[in-house]
Amino acid sequence: MSGPHQPGGAQRVGVRIAGTGSCLPERKLTNADLVNMMETSDEWIVQRTGIRERRIADHTGPESTDKLAAESLRRALATAHMDAKDLDAIIVATMTGEMSCPPTACLVAAQIGAGACGAFDLNGACCGFVFGLNVAHGLVAGGAYRNVALIGADTLTRYMDYSDAGRSTAIIFGDAAGCAILRATDDTSKGIIAQSMHSDGAGWKEIYVPTQPFHFPEGVPVDACKYGRVQMNGAAVFKFAVGTFSNLIDETLQKARLKPSDIDLYICHQSNQRILHAARDRFGLPENKLYINIDRVGNTVAASVPLCLDEVVRSRGLPEGAKVLFVAFGGGLTWGSSLWQL
Ligand code: COA
């Protein structure tokens, strides 16, 4: 290890992304399938969101959140040429763990045969993976942990209402898991250059999942049919997202003293293609610098960012030294970024 000494005896080290993996459920839910379930059309969905199909997990067990998460980690371990026993910690960013106890990360640890490593969940809604990158980076850069697996996994389709009443929300979401393994390196040029994490708790009522009468915001009638179903104010979230997205990129670039063109790749939460295009136009980015897969997978919540990362790594690779800006926003409300030099 190299670098200056930190309080407590640990040494500051570089952090690299040693491997990535992802896992999608088998079943596709196309716009044509949705037309058979609710009053909608392929044209409406594509025009408003850019989504053509998404994956929906088998909710009877074989594709539970922890199983998708574990498979994404197995694939990441394979690309990192690492054994599960090498992991010092497993963090799962999710808002759809199958049970509130145990943590999904513990189920994952057992399934992959990890040793007695640390394992815990982090709920930052759609920001979970990006917040997790900042947290996991801190654990490794501080010198106390060498190998941390960070997974974003969600199966939010369990909480959808696929009837006319839920049509503006149900068309958006899909299920997936993605993973990145963060590893200590002596090269201190690698790791996070700038980051941000924000929230506005007053905006909780724009996306929530009620299960009790008192969960409904003031002025919204209690409706038991909505229990366990995502309630989203699409128009309000859209407005929040467009503005926040640009501000977040500006803020992070300013912290790093970089220009938009200095970034090699933008990996952004896939919430709506129009929101992504608006950011691309605002910063004058060429198409190949802002990765988009929402047409094939929809909005996969905390899995969205690591799924994009893994697809990029596998399809075109990411060169050593590349600058990659991860950006997300979501329920909470939350928003955050993580700018890396690989
Ligand atoms: N198919 C056809 N029509 C639909 C529809 C569907 N699936 N869903 C809603 N509509 C209708 C509405 O009933 C409404 O009809 P009306 O004008 O006759 O009342 C009309 O389309 C407009 O509805 P609205 O909800 O205002 O649509 P919108 O243009 O805001 O688009 C979203 C809805 C959800 C696509 C859009 O608001 C959005 O993408 N928001 C951001 C969501 C997001 O990113 N969430 C995740 C955050 S991490």
Side-chain angles (χ1 to χ4, degrees), residues 216-261:
F216 289 86
E218 218 180 305
V220 175
V222 173
D223 180 352
C225 295
K226 293 181 175 167
Y227 288 165
R229 302 282 170 246
V230 174
Q231 304 301 307
M232 181 177 76
N233 181 347
V237 175
F238 191 90
K239 202 170 152 211
F240 153 74
V242 171
T244 304
F245 212 150
S246 293
N247 295 343
L248 199 49
I249 292 175
D250 265 337
E251 177 193 350
T252 316
L253 291 175
Q254 272 174 32
K255 280 184 183 171
R257 299 205 169 99
L258 292 172
K259 303 187 293 302
S261 57

Side-chain angles (χ1 to χ4, degrees), residues 49-188:
T49 68
I51 301 169
R52 294 179 185 278
E53 61 186 40
R54 67 291 288 145
R55 298 295 178 100
I56 183 163
D58 176 346
H59 296 308
T60 62
E63 294 179 325
S64 56
T65 302
D66 50 286
K67 296 214 180 71
L68 295 175
E71 187 54 30
S72 72
L73 175 49
R74 276 188 208 102
R75 292 174 187 177
L77 285 166
T79 59
H81 306 292
M82 279 172 64
D83 190 85
K85 299 259 183 309
D86 296 333
L87 293 172
D88 300 314
I90 299 172
I91 305 171
V92 179
T94 185
M95 58 176 275
T96 53
E98 302 290 328
M99 294 181 268
S100 50
C101 183
T104 303
C106 295
L107 297 175
V108 170
Q111 284 167 37
I112 64 156
C117 69
F120 62 93
D121 293 355
L122 181 160
N123 181 353
C126 294
C127 279
F129 186 83
V130 172
F131 283 6
L133 276 176
N134 297 339
V135 170
H137 181 276
L139 295 177
V140 178
Y145 301 86
R146 285 197 68 78
N147 296 306
V148 175
L150 172 66
I151 302 166
D154 270 304
T155 54
L156 197 63
T157 63
R158 275 189 287 148
Y159 299 90
M160 291 300 135
D161 171 2
Y162 289 103
S163 74
D164 287 355
R167 64 180 180 166
S168 62
T169 302
I171 55 160
I172 290 178
F173 293 99
D175 302 328
C179 175
I181 296 175
L182 278 53
R183 175 168 237 185
T185 168
D186 289 341
D187 183 347
T188 51

Side-chain angles (χ1 to χ4, degrees), residues 38-41 44-45 48-49 126 167-168 171-173 207 232 234-235 237-238 269 271-272 274-275 299 329-331:
M38 59 182 73
E39 187 65 44
T40 191
S41 68
W44 194 96
I45 300 171
R48 305 280 173 131
T49 68
C126 294
R167 64 180 180 166
S168 62
I171 55 160
I172 290 178
F173 293 99
I207 317 181
M232 181 177 76
V237 175
F238 191 90
H269 174 53
S271 63
N272 183 314
R274 285 189 292 153
I275 297 173
N299 177 342
F329 52 84

